[in-house]
Short mmCIF file of all heavy atoms in Angstrom, two decimals:
data_model
loop_
_atom_site.label_atom_id
_atom_site.label_comp_id
_atom_site.label_asym_id
_atom_site.label_seq_id
_atom_site.Cartn_x
_atom_site.Cartn_y
_atom_site.Cartn_z
N ARG A 122 141.15 97.04 90.89
CA ARG A 122 140.47 95.77 90.66
C ARG A 122 139.33 95.54 91.66
O ARG A 122 138.28 95.00 91.31
CB ARG A 122 141.48 94.62 90.73
CG ARG A 122 142.43 94.57 89.54
CD ARG A 122 143.52 93.54 89.77
NE ARG A 122 144.36 93.92 90.90
CZ ARG A 122 145.29 93.13 91.43
NH1 ARG A 122 145.49 91.93 90.94
NH2 ARG A 122 146.02 93.54 92.44
N SER A 123 139.53 95.98 92.90
CA SER A 123 138.49 95.77 93.91
C SER A 123 137.22 96.53 93.58
O SER A 123 136.11 96.11 93.90
CB SER A 123 139.00 96.16 95.29
OG SER A 123 139.34 97.54 95.33
N LYS A 124 137.38 97.67 92.89
CA LYS A 124 136.23 98.49 92.54
C LYS A 124 135.75 98.22 91.10
O LYS A 124 134.73 98.78 90.68
CB LYS A 124 136.55 99.98 92.69
CG LYS A 124 136.85 100.39 94.12
CD LYS A 124 137.13 101.88 94.21
CE LYS A 124 137.40 102.28 95.67
NZ LYS A 124 137.72 103.73 95.80
N GLY A 125 136.47 97.42 90.37
CA GLY A 125 136.09 97.18 88.97
C GLY A 125 136.08 98.49 88.19
O GLY A 125 135.15 98.79 87.45
N TYR A 126 137.16 99.25 88.33
CA TYR A 126 137.17 100.62 87.83
C TYR A 126 138.52 100.97 87.23
O TYR A 126 139.57 100.59 87.75
CB TYR A 126 136.85 101.56 88.99
CG TYR A 126 137.10 103.03 88.75
CD1 TYR A 126 136.30 103.76 87.87
CD2 TYR A 126 138.13 103.68 89.41
CE1 TYR A 126 136.53 105.11 87.66
CE2 TYR A 126 138.37 105.04 89.20
CZ TYR A 126 137.56 105.74 88.33
OH TYR A 126 137.78 107.08 88.12
N SER A 127 138.46 101.69 86.12
CA SER A 127 139.67 102.18 85.49
C SER A 127 139.38 103.56 84.93
O SER A 127 138.23 103.93 84.68
CB SER A 127 140.10 101.25 84.36
OG SER A 127 141.17 101.79 83.60
N TYR A 128 140.41 104.33 84.76
CA TYR A 128 140.26 105.57 84.00
C TYR A 128 141.48 105.80 83.13
O TYR A 128 142.59 105.35 83.41
CB TYR A 128 139.98 106.79 84.90
CG TYR A 128 141.10 107.23 85.82
CD1 TYR A 128 142.24 107.88 85.33
CD2 TYR A 128 141.00 107.05 87.20
CE1 TYR A 128 143.25 108.30 86.18
CE2 TYR A 128 142.00 107.47 88.05
CZ TYR A 128 143.12 108.09 87.54
OH TYR A 128 144.13 108.51 88.39
N LEU A 129 141.23 106.52 82.05
CA LEU A 129 142.28 106.97 81.14
C LEU A 129 142.37 108.48 81.28
O LEU A 129 141.36 109.18 81.17
CB LEU A 129 141.94 106.60 79.70
CG LEU A 129 142.95 107.02 78.63
CD1 LEU A 129 144.24 106.21 78.76
CD2 LEU A 129 142.35 106.83 77.23
N LEU A 130 143.56 108.96 81.57
CA LEU A 130 143.77 110.39 81.77
C LEU A 130 144.59 110.94 80.60
O LEU A 130 145.67 110.43 80.31
CB LEU A 130 144.51 110.63 83.09
CG LEU A 130 144.57 112.07 83.60
CD1 LEU A 130 143.18 112.50 84.07
CD2 LEU A 130 145.57 112.19 84.75
N LEU A 131 144.06 111.94 79.95
CA LEU A 131 144.75 112.56 78.83
C LEU A 131 145.11 113.98 79.22
O LEU A 131 144.24 114.79 79.55
CB LEU A 131 143.88 112.60 77.57
CG LEU A 131 143.54 111.28 76.89
CD1 LEU A 131 142.48 110.51 77.65
CD2 LEU A 131 143.10 111.53 75.47
N LYS A 132 146.40 114.30 79.18
CA LYS A 132 146.88 115.63 79.56
C LYS A 132 147.25 116.43 78.32
O LYS A 132 147.51 115.88 77.25
CB LYS A 132 148.10 115.53 80.46
CG LYS A 132 147.89 114.71 81.72
CD LYS A 132 149.20 114.58 82.50
CE LYS A 132 149.05 113.68 83.69
NZ LYS A 132 150.35 113.47 84.41
N GLU A 133 147.30 117.74 78.49
CA GLU A 133 147.73 118.64 77.41
C GLU A 133 147.05 118.27 76.10
O GLU A 133 147.70 118.00 75.08
CB GLU A 133 149.26 118.58 77.25
CG GLU A 133 150.00 118.96 78.51
CD GLU A 133 151.50 118.66 78.40
OE1 GLU A 133 152.01 118.46 77.28
OE2 GLU A 133 152.17 118.61 79.45
N LEU A 134 145.75 118.24 76.15
CA LEU A 134 144.97 117.77 75.01
C LEU A 134 145.32 118.50 73.72
O LEU A 134 145.53 119.72 73.70
CB LEU A 134 143.48 117.94 75.29
CG LEU A 134 142.82 116.86 76.14
CD1 LEU A 134 141.38 117.24 76.43
CD2 LEU A 134 142.88 115.51 75.45
N GLN A 135 145.35 117.73 72.65
CA GLN A 135 145.59 118.27 71.33
C GLN A 135 144.39 117.93 70.44
O GLN A 135 143.63 117.00 70.74
CB GLN A 135 146.87 117.67 70.74
CG GLN A 135 148.11 117.93 71.60
CD GLN A 135 149.35 117.23 71.07
OE1 GLN A 135 149.36 116.68 69.97
NE2 GLN A 135 150.42 117.27 71.85
N MET A 136 144.24 118.68 69.37
CA MET A 136 143.11 118.46 68.48
C MET A 136 143.10 117.02 67.95
O MET A 136 142.05 116.41 67.79
CB MET A 136 143.14 119.44 67.32
CG MET A 136 143.03 120.90 67.73
SD MET A 136 141.44 121.25 68.50
CE MET A 136 140.36 121.09 67.09
N LYS A 137 144.29 116.48 67.72
CA LYS A 137 144.38 115.12 67.17
C LYS A 137 143.92 114.05 68.16
O LYS A 137 143.76 112.89 67.79
CB LYS A 137 145.81 114.82 66.75
CG LYS A 137 146.80 114.74 67.91
CD LYS A 137 148.19 114.39 67.42
CE LYS A 137 149.18 114.26 68.58
NZ LYS A 137 150.54 113.90 68.13
N ASP A 138 143.71 114.45 69.41
CA ASP A 138 143.21 113.49 70.40
C ASP A 138 141.71 113.24 70.25
O ASP A 138 141.15 112.38 70.94
CB ASP A 138 143.50 113.98 71.83
CG ASP A 138 144.99 114.09 72.11
OD1 ASP A 138 145.77 113.30 71.51
OD2 ASP A 138 145.38 114.96 72.91
N SER A 139 141.06 114.01 69.40
CA SER A 139 139.64 113.77 69.13
C SER A 139 139.51 112.39 68.48
O SER A 139 140.02 112.16 67.38
CB SER A 139 139.07 114.84 68.19
OG SER A 139 139.05 116.11 68.80
N ALA A 140 138.84 111.49 69.18
CA ALA A 140 138.74 110.09 68.73
C ALA A 140 137.81 109.37 69.69
O ALA A 140 137.32 109.96 70.66
CB ALA A 140 140.11 109.44 68.73
N SER A 141 137.58 108.10 69.41
CA SER A 141 136.88 107.24 70.37
C SER A 141 137.90 106.50 71.20
O SER A 141 138.95 106.09 70.69
CB SER A 141 135.98 106.24 69.64
OG SER A 141 134.85 106.88 69.10
N TYR A 142 137.61 106.34 72.47
CA TYR A 142 138.51 105.64 73.39
C TYR A 142 137.76 104.42 73.92
O TYR A 142 136.70 104.55 74.52
CB TYR A 142 138.97 106.57 74.50
CG TYR A 142 139.89 107.64 73.95
CD1 TYR A 142 139.37 108.81 73.41
CD2 TYR A 142 141.27 107.44 73.89
CE1 TYR A 142 140.20 109.77 72.85
CE2 TYR A 142 142.10 108.39 73.33
CZ TYR A 142 141.56 109.54 72.80
OH TYR A 142 142.38 110.48 72.23
N LEU A 143 138.34 103.26 73.66
CA LEU A 143 137.69 102.00 73.98
C LEU A 143 138.36 101.35 75.19
O LEU A 143 139.58 101.18 75.21
CB LEU A 143 137.77 101.04 72.80
CG LEU A 143 137.31 101.57 71.44
CD1 LEU A 143 137.52 100.52 70.36
CD2 LEU A 143 135.85 101.99 71.48
N CYS A 144 137.55 100.98 76.14
CA CYS A 144 138.00 100.23 77.30
C CYS A 144 137.69 98.76 77.01
O CYS A 144 136.58 98.43 76.57
CB CYS A 144 137.24 100.72 78.52
SG CYS A 144 137.49 99.78 80.04
N ALA A 145 138.65 97.87 77.24
CA ALA A 145 138.43 96.45 76.96
C ALA A 145 139.05 95.62 78.07
O ALA A 145 140.14 95.92 78.55
CB ALA A 145 139.05 96.08 75.62
N VAL A 146 138.35 94.58 78.47
CA VAL A 146 138.80 93.71 79.56
C VAL A 146 139.06 92.31 79.05
O VAL A 146 138.27 91.77 78.27
CB VAL A 146 137.76 93.68 80.70
CG1 VAL A 146 138.17 92.67 81.77
CG2 VAL A 146 137.60 95.06 81.30
N SER A 147 140.16 91.75 79.48
CA SER A 147 140.47 90.35 79.21
C SER A 147 140.00 89.55 80.41
O SER A 147 140.46 89.77 81.53
CB SER A 147 141.97 90.18 78.99
OG SER A 147 142.30 88.82 78.82
N GLY A 148 139.05 88.62 80.19
CA GLY A 148 138.50 87.86 81.30
C GLY A 148 139.13 86.49 81.42
O GLY A 148 140.34 86.35 81.35
N ASN A 149 138.28 85.50 81.57
CA ASN A 149 138.78 84.13 81.74
C ASN A 149 139.28 83.50 80.45
O ASN A 149 140.01 82.53 80.47
CB ASN A 149 137.67 83.24 82.31
CG ASN A 149 137.50 83.47 83.79
OD1 ASN A 149 138.43 83.89 84.47
ND2 ASN A 149 136.31 83.21 84.30
#
Side-chain angles (χ1 to χ4, degrees):
Chain A
R122 289 172 296 171
S123 62
K124 295 182 179 178
Y126 168 70
S127 172
Y128 68 72
L129 180 69
L130 192 71
L131 292 76
K132 303 176 185 176
E133 302 170 16
L134 279 174
Q135 302 175 9
M136 298 296 291
K137 66 178 182 180
D138 297 330
S139 293
S141 287
Y142 291 86
L143 309 177
C144 173
V146 175
S147 176
N149 283 335

